[in-house]
Structures are given as structure tokens and as C-alpha cells.
């Protein structure tokens, strides 16, 4: 088993061992805000560039939260066909999606980055 496969397996098993539920049902513990309005205010105050990847097959309530974050004109948005486990499902699609965003964020003013 490759190290990345082992990491994904361990990540998925942790909530089951700790909380007795699969990871898809352990939510909210890492959220920086309790309410959508609070999160949107935090997002508007963010000085760093922000990108939101919307999981097109996420549960409706989760997708609604993602879509709410995309309403800010400062937020760069991408849509991918994944669900809440998108990092494990679509890692190969996420990387090329975020790479230009990351390169733009680290490029010195006026420089050109090649891929």
C-alpha cells in the first residue's frame, strides 16, 4: 500500500474509531464559524486570496454553504463532480484546479510563472 493510500485509510477510520460514525457524519467540529452569516463576514474580511471548490455532488445543505461562499466577487470558484470526500475521490483533478490559483498567490508582482 502506498503511503498516500495508507494516509487516506487512516483518515477515514479515525472518526469511526473515535466517534463510532463514518467520517461523512462527523461535521462541524472544524468549522471556523457557527453560522453562515458569521462565516461570510469572516470571508469578506479575508485579505488573502480565497478559492472555493464546490463539490457538485455534495449533500444539498453542504452545497448551499459552499455556494454561499462563492457569492463574493473576490472568491475564485471552481466546480468539480465530487462529494464531501472530494480530496480522496478527485485528488488528481483538484491539483490542476488549484495550481494556477496557488501560483498566482506566490508569484512576485510582474513575474511570469510557467507550468
Amino acid at each position: 500500500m502506498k503511503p498516500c493510500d495508507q494516509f487516506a485509510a487512516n483518515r477515514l477510520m479515525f472518526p469511526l474509531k473515535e466517534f463510532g460514525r463514518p467520517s461523512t457524519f462527523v461535521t462541524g467540529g472544524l468549522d471556523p464559524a457557527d453560522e453562515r452569516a458569521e462565516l461570510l463576514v469572516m470571508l469578506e474580511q479575508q485579505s488573502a486570496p480565497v478559492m472555493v471548490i464546490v463539490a457538485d455532488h455534495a449533500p444539498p445543505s453542504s452545497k448551499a454553504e459552499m455556494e454561499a461562499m462563492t457569492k463574493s466577487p473576490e472568491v475564485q470558484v471552481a466546480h468539480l463532480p465530487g462529494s464531501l470526500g472530494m480530496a480522496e475521490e478527485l485528488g488528481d483533478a483538484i491539483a490542476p484546479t488549484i495550481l494556477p490559483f496557488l501560483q498566482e498567490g506566490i508569484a512576485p508582482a510582474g513575474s511570469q510563472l510557467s507550468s
Side-chain angles (χ1 to χ4, degrees):
M1 181 178 283
K2 294 188 273 184
C4 60
D5 294 336
Q6 184 62 48
F7 173 79
N10 288 342
R11 184 169 171 223
L12 292 172
M13 289 306 297
F14 172 77
L16 191 58
K17 289 178 186 175
E18 292 295 313
F19 306 107
R21 297 179 296 210
S23 62
T24 55
F25 296 104
V26 178
T27 60
L30 300 176
D31 294 344
D34 292 327
E35 300 290 329
R36 179 189 295 182
E38 181 184 356
L39 179 63
L40 296 178
V41 167
M42 293 168 69
L43 187 62
E44 290 294 328
Q45 295 173 344
Q46 181 60 255
S47 61
V50 175
M51 177 180 219
V52 173
I53 300 177
V54 177
D56 287 335
H57 301 295
S61 61
S62 299
K63 188 172 178 183
E65 298 298 322
M66 294 175 209
E67 293 287 357
M69 291 187 287
T70 68
K71 301 304 179 205
S72 171
E74 301 299 318
V75 173
Q76 293 186 35
V77 181
H79 287 259
L80 290 176
S83 66
L84 295 181
M86 189 175 355
E88 286 84 13
E89 298 167 356
L90 300 172
D92 291 343
I94 292 172
T97 300
I98 65 171
L99 185 60
F101 172 79
L102 295 173
Q103 288 176 326
E104 183 179 298
I106 62 171
S111 70
Q112 297 283 331
L113 291 177
S114 60
S115 43

